[in-house]
Amino acid sequence: MILLQQSRKILATFLLIGVLMITTACGSGAVSQLDRPTAPSAIGRDVTYAELERGNTPGGQTFGNWVVQISQGLVQDAFVRDNNKLGVVIAPQVRPNEVRPLAKSLVQGFHKNFPNQDLKVLIYAPDKKLILTTEYDTQTNQVKYS
C-alpha cells in the first residue's frame, strides 16, 4: 500500500514537470520589460506573509497564479518579485528527491516567461523555511543550485 502511494506521488511529480515544460514551451506568455514594477517591492518591510501578493507586477502575478494552478497540489503558494525572483512553497507530499527536478522545471518555465535576465527560484518547505535556491545565468545558460 505504501509503495503504491509513493509511486503515485512520484508519478504526479513527473507529470507536473512534464506539464510545466510543455505548457511553457507551447505558451505565448512572454512578458515584456514594460511589466517591471514602478514601486519598490513590499519585501523587506513589515508585511506579513498573508499580505504579499503572488506578484508585484501584472506578469508576475499571472505567472505565480499559473504555477499554483498547474501544480496539481504540489505547490501550495508562489510569488514573483521584480520579474526575476520566483518563490515557491511546496506541499508536504513532495519528497526531498523530487525538489531539485521540480526547481529545474520551474526555472525553465520562468525563463520562458521572463527571458534575457538572470533568474532565481527559491523553494520553501511547507513551514516556509528556505530549502533550495536555484539560479539561472543568462550569459552561460547554466542552472546553479545552492
Side-chain angles (χ1 to χ4, degrees):
M1 185 68 139
I2 294 174
L3 181 61
L4 180 63
Q5 289 174 341
Q6 289 177 345
S7 298
R8 283 183 32 207
K9 289 179 186 177
I10 291 170
L11 179 63
T13 301
F14 285 112
L15 283 173
L16 171 64
I17 291 169
V19 168
L20 284 172
M21 290 174 64
I22 291 170
T23 55
T24 55
C26 297
S28 61
V31 178
S32 70
Q33 292 295 333
L34 297 175
D35 287 338
R36 287 257 179 218
T38 56
S41 174
I43 299 212
R45 293 190 231 152
D46 292 331
V47 177
T48 65
Y49 178 81
E51 294 173 335
L52 294 175
E53 296 177 356
R54 290 239 162 96
N56 64 348
T57 65
Q61 181 81 23
T62 301
F63 188 76
N65 288 335
W66 179 81
V67 167
V68 173
Q69 289 171 354
I70 201 73
S71 72
Q72 301 175 352
L74 295 177
V75 173
Q76 291 180 337
D77 198 9
F79 62 89
V80 177
R81 296 294 175 259
D82 303 326
N83 291 343
N84 65 0
K85 207 174 284 174
L86 170 65
V88 173
V89 179
I90 58 173
Q93 68 261 28
V94 177
R95 298 177 52 175
N97 63 338
E98 299 168 337
V99 173
R100 193 175 276 210
L102 178 61
K104 184 175 183 180
S105 179
L106 288 168
V107 83
Q108 288 171 341
F110 198 35
H111 173 65
K112 296 278 187 192
N113 285 277
F114 299 94
N116 303 323
Q117 57 185 326
D118 294 338
L119 303 172
K120 187 178 281 192
V121 175
L122 308 166
I123 305 290
Y124 294 91
D127 63 359
K128 307 206 179 38
K129 290 184 181 177
L130 182 64
I131 57 175
L132 180 67
T133 300
T134 308
E135 296 181 47
Y136 175 79
D137 185 347
T138 56
Q139 291 182 346
T140 62
N141 289 331
Q142 296 292 317
V143 177
K144 183 176 82 172
Y145 302 95
S146 55

